[in-house]
Amino acid sequence: MQQRKNSKNNRNYLIKCTCPHCTNQSEHSHTRVQKGSALMCPNCSKIFSQGKLTFA
């Protein structure tokens, strides 16, 4: 019998997010962005929140 794969690990990939302050794109983990956690821009070091993403 085949075992199910852990679906949580499949969602742990990087997403490009645009900083609202400097418009620079940076990569953040999918789970962090999906939770609405605070993200830090590596270019300007400002903290921002991307919010929940909607996929079509």
Side-chain angles (χ1 to χ4, degrees):
M1 191 168 175
Q2 215 175 17
Q3 286 187 340
R4 290 179 56 173
K5 292 181 182 178
N6 190 356
S7 63
K8 275 190 170 180
N9 290 338
N10 292 339
R11 294 185 187 143
N12 199 12
Y13 53 87
L14 298 177
I15 294 178
K16 287 190 178 185
C17 298
T18 304
C19 175
H21 304 287
C22 67
T23 65
N24 186 29
Q25 282 195 343
S26 57
E27 292 182 336
H28 298 279
S29 72
H30 176 265
T31 52
R32 181 175 285 253
V33 173
Q34 195 70 12
K35 286 179 184 176
S37 300
L39 306 173
M40 184 173 158
C41 177
N43 190 36
C44 66
S45 300
K46 300 228 177 180
I47 296 175
F48 65 97
S49 180
Q50 191 71 17
K52 298 225 178 205
L53 290 178
T54 55
F55 293 106

